[in-house]
């Protein structure tokens, strides 16, 4: 079971790095949670601000069968949204897996994979959720916390337990039907097929019609024809 083995540390570089370096020593489902991360990382190798008060944890999956790492990312993303729903917080996903409430980012997910002899040995899903932590001034327009949303402080570990419970439930339901997970995940996305979106690409900001939301990529129709992008940043809807 996910979360049967929980390691809590007061301070660490990054819970993802810890599990990436020590995955062999721990069983499938191990969770590492830290009060503070000194080198928290986000997607695109960005710094992830991880002070006291936030929920910073990573889950170690050791798949027995061939699986797409993306399966676990989606599984965790929908489980966060479902756990928040139980807390009466209406969250959505911004493609691919950012958790948004009222147009601001509440949580992010960083999935990393350990390969050995071309086989996936471990998938580490790191979750960062702003709970009672302060949001730095420069991020206040873009990010939010549960404390800001609800006007009160939360017991962050009980939120983690709620999320883990949803993950275990979802694992049971979707392990044999990943396409059903994709459907649930798609329904939770803010972006919908047919919408015009503005996105940041290598050559600057581009506007396009979202033609297809794929498992791991978006297909957009731009002035230059169809483009399929797997790692882009949508900056606006
Ligand atoms: C993102 O939205 O860019 C992903 C952020 C993921 C942050 C979490 S916090 C716990 C885990 N440890 C890390 O260093 N990163 C992830």
């Amino acid at each position: 079971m996910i979360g049967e083995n929980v390691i809590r540390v007061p301070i660490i570089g990054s819970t993802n790095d810890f599990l990436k370096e020590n995955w062999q020593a721990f069983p499938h489902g191990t969770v590492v949670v830290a009060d503070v991360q000194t080198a928290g990382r986000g997607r695109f190798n960005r710094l992830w601000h991880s002070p006291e008060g936030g929920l910073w944890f990573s889950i170690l999956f050791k798949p027995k069968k061939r699986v797409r790492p993306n399966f676990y990312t989606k599984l965790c993303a929908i489980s966060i949204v479902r756990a928040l729903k139980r807390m009466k917080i209406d969250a959505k996903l911004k493609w691919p897996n950012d958790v948004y409430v009222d147009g601001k980012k509440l949580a992010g997910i960083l999935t990393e994979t350990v390969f050995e002899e071309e086989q996936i040995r471990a998938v580490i899903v790191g979750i960062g959720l702003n709970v009672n932590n302060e949001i730095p001034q420069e991020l206040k327009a873009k990010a939010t916390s549960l404390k800001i949303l609800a006007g009160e402080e939360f017991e962050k570990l009980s939120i983690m337990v709620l999320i883990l419970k949803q993950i275990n439930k979802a694992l049971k339901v979707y392990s044999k039907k990943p396409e059903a997970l994709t459907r649930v995940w798609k329904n939770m996305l803010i972006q919908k097929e047919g919408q015009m979106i503005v996105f940041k690409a290598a050559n600057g900001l581009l506007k396009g019609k979202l033609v297809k939301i794929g498992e791991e990529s978006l297909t957009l129709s731009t002035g230059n024809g169809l483009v399929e992008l797997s790692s882009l940043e949508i900056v606006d809807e």
Side-chain angles (χ1 to χ4, degrees):
M1 239 189 34
I2 307 301
E4 214 166 79
N5 183 31
V6 175
I7 301 165
R8 185 180 181 184
V9 290
I11 186 160
I12 203 167
S14 149
T15 53
N16 262 40
D17 287 347
F18 177 82
L19 278 177
K20 245 168 57 179
E21 283 152 21
N22 300 290
W23 65 275
Q24 276 169 314
F26 298 104
H28 168 79
T30 297
V31 171
V32 178
V33 57
D35 292 326
V36 173
Q37 293 186 122
T38 53
R41 288 181 298 108
R43 290 170 62 234
F44 310 111
N45 243 334
R46 290 193 186 128
L47 177 87
W48 182 263
H49 188 66
S50 320
E52 191 88 44
L55 179 56
W56 325 122
F57 69 106
S58 300
I59 307 167
L60 173 66
F61 294 96
K62 289 184 166 178
K64 290 205 190 82
K65 302 184 300 183
R66 247 175 200 282
V67 66
R68 287 183 177 192
N70 189 276
F71 170 82
Y72 294 110
T73 319
K74 283 190 285 201
L75 193 85
C76 291
I78 68 143
S79 299
I80 297 170
V81 171
R82 286 176 171 176
L84 290 168
K85 199 169 179 185
R86 303 243 152 181
M87 299 167 62
K88 311 261 181 287
I89 289 170
D90 186 24
K92 292 243 175 314
L93 298 174
K94 181 170 169 180
W95 192 88
N97 286 298
D98 285 343
V99 179
Y100 265 65
V101 179
D102 295 343
K104 292 186 180 180
K105 181 159 166 171
L106 176 68
I109 302 176
L110 175 67
T111 300
E112 299 184 284
T113 314
V114 179
F115 279 94
E116 256 181 18
E117 291 152 11
E118 289 176 22
Q119 293 229 358
I120 293 181
R121 298 282 179 219
V123 178
I124 293 136
V125 182
I127 297 172
L129 196 154
N130 297 317
V131 183
N132 308 316
N133 55 297
E134 291 302 317
I135 304 291
Q137 196 54 39
E138 67 274 17
L139 292 178
K140 277 197 171 137
K142 290 197 214 159
T144 191
S145 68
L146 289 180
K147 186 176 165 184
I148 295 173
L149 290 168
E152 58 174 325
E153 297 222 335
F154 289 83
E155 217 301 285
K156 59 183 187 180
L157 288 186
S158 53
I159 298 170
M160 183 178 83
V161 170
L162 217 60
I163 296 171
L164 294 175
K165 212 167 156 180
Q166 293 296 331
I167 292 175
N168 279 309
K169 257 189 179 174
L171 256 179
K172 268 195 200 128
V173 178
Y174 303 116
S175 287
K176 291 211 174 83
K177 7 176 209 174
E179 36 344 296
L181 173 63
T182 302
R183 274 199 299 275
V184 173
W185 165 79
K186 251 182 155 176
N187 275 331
M188 288 182 180
L189 286 176
I190 298 169
Q191 294 84 11
K192 303 284 175 213
E193 285 165 359
Q195 249 180 6
M196 291 301 291
I197 58 166
V198 178
F199 61 93
K200 223 190 242 173
N203 49 351
L205 286 187
L206 286 169
K207 198 170 178 180
K209 186 170 170 182
L210 186 48
V211 182
K212 189 173 182 301
I213 297 175
E215 287 268 326
E216 291 174 39
S217 66
L218 293 181
T219 309
L220 295 122
S221 165
T222 67
N224 299 327
L226 287 186
V227 265
E228 192 178 336
L229 295 150
S230 60
S231 180
L232 78 160
E233 269 243 86
I234 301 166
V235 293
D236 207 354
E237 277 132 38

